[in-house]
Amino acid sequence: RKGRSGLSVLRGGGLVLMCSAANAAICFSLLAIMSKVGSVAARFKSIDYEIRGRVQGVCFRMYTEDQARKLGVVGWVRNTRSGTVEGQVQGKEELVNSMKNWLSKVGSPSSRIDQ
């Protein structure tokens, strides 16, 4: 839509670009790319976690890394001085939710997850 200033206003995917007639084609392509990036980013999730219970000395970190690889999520995991395991998981929302479920209910075979 043309505004009073001679700029075209392009809308899509919750984004608005103001472009001159000379570069409207470039702006339209940029809007299409930005819309796709925005919709992809909306499906990604990042969580921080801390697991309490019997989680150190039972290969919890190793099993956590293996499970993350199987699911296709990324992040980090480490033991804390207070005897817990903490970390971060990032990836597609449904995969992060699966990893969160595994962390809170399954863990390593010898672990006991209290919280």
Side-chain angles (χ1 to χ4, degrees), residues 16 18 33 38 52 58 81 112:
V16 178
M18 296 185 74
I33 291 168
R52 291 175 173 80
V58 291
R81 287 184 177 180
R112 185 193 74 242

Side-chain angles (χ1 to χ4, degrees), residues 53-69:
R54 185 169 178 247
V55 291
Q56 289 191 9
V58 291
C59 299
F60 195 92
R61 290 178 298 139
M62 181 185 73
Y63 277 88
T64 298
E65 290 172 7
D66 288 346
Q67 184 65 17
R69 263 189 229 98

Side-chain angles (χ1 to χ4, degrees), residues 81-108:
R81 287 184 177 180
S82 62
T84 65
V85 170
E86 67 178 3
Q88 185 178 79
V89 178
Q90 298 176 350
K92 290 183 179 177
E93 185 173 8
E94 64 274 7
L95 299 177
V96 170
N97 290 340
S98 293
M99 187 69 191
K100 183 178 175 181
N101 184 60
W102 184 89
L103 286 164
S104 64
K105 294 182 172 57
V106 181
S108 67

Side-chain angles (χ1 to χ4, degrees), residues 4-115:
R4 290 185 188 167
S5 62
L7 296 175
S8 295
V9 178
L10 301 173
R11 297 174 193 272
L15 303 168
V16 178
L17 290 177
M18 296 185 74
C19 306
S20 66
N23 64 4
I26 293 170
C27 283
F28 185 75
S29 296
L30 183 59
L31 182 66
I33 291 168
M34 289 170 64
S35 295
K36 288 179 184 173
V37 168
S39 65
V40 168
R43 294 179 293 199
F44 278 78
K45 185 176 184 178
S46 177
I47 62 163
D48 296 322
Y49 62 88
E50 185 171 16
I51 312 296
R52 291 175 173 80
R54 185 169 178 247
V55 291
Q56 289 191 9
V58 291
C59 299
F60 195 92
R61 290 178 298 139
M62 181 185 73
Y63 277 88
T64 298
E65 290 172 7
D66 288 346
Q67 184 65 17
R69 263 189 229 98
K70 287 176 189 172
L71 289 173
V73 295
V74 297
W76 56 268
V77 59
R78 68 180 174 200
N79 287 337
T80 67
R81 287 184 177 180
S82 62
T84 65
V85 170
E86 67 178 3
Q88 185 178 79
V89 178
Q90 298 176 350
K92 290 183 179 177
E93 185 173 8
E94 64 274 7
L95 299 177
V96 170
N97 290 340
S98 293
M99 187 69 191
K100 183 178 175 181
N101 184 60
W102 184 89
L103 286 164
S104 64
K105 294 182 172 57
V106 181
S108 67
S110 300
S111 67
R112 185 193 74 242
I113 300 166
D114 294 338
Q115 187 180 0

